[in-house]
Amino acid sequence: QVTLKESGPGILQPSQTLSLTCSFSGFSLSTYGMCVGWIRQSSGKGLEWLANIWWNDDKYYNPSLKNRLTISKDTSNNQAFLKITNMDTADTATYYCARRALFPTGSYFDYWGQGVMVTVSS
Amino acid sequence: DIQMTQSPASLSASLGETVSIECLASEGISNDLAWYQQKSGKSPQLLIYAASRLQDGVPSRFSGSGSGTRYSLKISGMQPEDEADYFCQQSYKYPTFGGGTKLELK
């Protein structure tokens, strides 16, 4: 059974760095074709993909946020991480991690965590 | 980036009614498209991938079709549990999502 769960600070101030952890089970990020992605959802911008990290440590970032994002993983502990620097009120959103698996055609987010709400406020 | 324009933004359907939701990509995406359902307060769930393939466990009343830049999700026979937000997402280039469709039971 595949499960993912996000954890984070809940609230932080503008200009701070957000650190998120995705703890997962039921699959391994050392297995060929596996990937964990981060997606956020706000009322203003809908769903926005942020970053992916693949089993081979390839990393991809949303170009519009690339300078602020760092994705990493701890394969032995089944965790993935996302850091976002210089947080702003516009970054207030629910942040999801999701498994992105290789299907016979393409790769898709087939399991999602419950999400963690992050509020940026002074 | 590839823009995904989803329509309509909202619709209401009666029990048993067939509904369709469309997504238009700003460029061809070679069927590299998924549909997700998101119920209130929950995370998105994968319904359809590769434009027309049903994810395991998804009821057969859901179907997807399309090619090139135009794709659609059809629900054949609206059920109460289908009340939700629906999103399309392309994986052809870095992932982008449609703006969503709010489906309500009339």
Side-chain angles (χ1 to χ4, degrees):
Chain A
Q1 181 189 4
V2 174
T3 64
L4 303 98
K5 186 173 183 180
E6 308 84 352
S7 57
I11 186 164
L12 64 165
Q13 295 184 336
S15 81
Q16 287 187 319
T17 294
L18 172 64
S19 294
L20 296 170
T21 298
C22 176
S23 301
F24 55 86
S25 63
F27 70 99
S28 172
L29 255 182
S30 61
T31 300
Y32 174 87
M34 286 296 150
C35 171
V36 168
W38 287 93
I39 303 106
R40 69 182 180 183
Q41 185 173 32
S42 63
S43 57
K45 293 192 74 175
L47 286 161
E48 181 179 34
W49 170 76
L50 301 174
N52 286 342
I53 187 164
W54 291 86
W55 84 99
N56 59 1
D57 211 36
D58 279 351
K59 300 163 188 172
Y60 297 90
Y61 297 101
N62 187 317
S64 67
L65 293 160
K66 183 175 182 178
N67 291 341
R68 300 173 54 206
L69 302 177
T70 304
I71 193 170
S72 60
K73 62 181 170 73
D74 180 349
T75 302
S76 57
N77 287 308
N78 286 341
Q79 291 181 315
F81 311 95
L82 183 71
K83 288 188 188 296
I84 308 178
T85 60
N86 196 22
M87 290 288 284
D88 182 78
T89 55
D91 296 311
T92 293
T94 296
Y95 286 76
Y96 296 99
C97 65
R99 187 180 83 162
R100 184 174 179 182
L102 282 178
F103 284 69
T105 53
S107 61
Y108 304 94
F109 297 111
D110 61 347
Y111 290 91
W112 295 60
Q114 63 189 27
V116 60
M117 180 67 197
V118 175
T119 301
V120 183
S121 174
S122 55
Chain B
D1 55 340
I2 297 177
Q3 309 294 328
M4 302 300 293
T5 304
Q6 191 172 334
S7 61
S10 64
L11 77 159
S12 61
S14 303
L15 197 64
E17 185 177 346
T18 293
V19 300
S20 285
I21 299 168
E22 296 197 343
C23 253
L24 177 65
S26 58
E27 61 184 86
I29 56 172
S30 295
N31 289 5
D32 211 344
L33 181 106
W35 290 97
Y36 299 89
Q37 177 192 66
Q38 185 178 30
K39 296 186 178 179
S40 181
K42 302 292 186 182
S43 54
Q45 288 197 305
L46 180 65
L47 296 176
I48 301 281
Y49 65 94
S52 61
R53 302 196 181 201
L54 201 64
Q55 173 68 337
D56 292 345
V58 174
S60 58
R61 63 180 179 274
F62 291 91
S63 63
S65 64
S67 63
T69 61
R70 291 183 177 276
Y71 298 86
S72 62
L73 172 71
K74 185 166 75 172
I75 307 172
S76 300
M78 175 75 180
Q79 298 299 307
E81 60 267 29
D82 298 337
E83 197 170 70
D85 293 330
Y86 292 84
F87 298 91
C88 61
Q89 177 242 318
Q90 62 79 22
S91 284
Y92 187 68
K93 292 183 180 177
Y94 79 81
T96 51
F97 293 84
T101 295
K102 187 175 199 64
L103 175 60
E104 295 177 328
L105 184 63
K106 198 181 291 181

